[in-house]
Amino acid sequence: MPYIEALVPTIVVALVFWFAIRAVSNVDRTERAAEAEVEEQIKLAAQAKDNESPKADN
C-alpha cells in the first residue's frame, strides 16, 4: 500500500501535464489551420482584384 500512495501523486502530475500539453498542441493546430485559411482568402481576394483591374495595352 505505501508504494501506491507514493506513486499516485506522480501519476496525477503526469496526467495533468499530459492534458496541458495536449491542449496546447490542439490550440496550436487549430490556430495554424485558421491562419492558413485566412492567408488563402487574402490570396484569392488579391487575385480577384488583379483580374478586375483593367490592364494597359502597350
Side-chain angles (χ1 to χ4, degrees):
M1 191 67 158
Y3 298 113
I4 294 173
E5 292 174 1
L7 290 175
V8 167
T10 303
I11 293 170
V12 169
V13 168
L15 286 173
V16 168
F17 179 75
W18 181 73
F19 279 115
I21 294 300
R22 183 175 168 216
V24 169
S25 177
N26 286 339
V27 167
D28 182 56
R29 184 181 311 120
T30 305
E31 183 178 358
R32 287 177 188 257
E35 186 175 343
E37 184 178 335
V38 167
E39 287 179 4
E40 183 66 26
Q41 289 176 353
I42 291 171
K43 184 178 175 182
L44 290 174
Q47 287 176 351
K49 183 179 177 185
D50 287 344
N51 290 340
E52 287 178 1
S53 63
K55 295 185 179 179
D57 292 330
N58 290 336

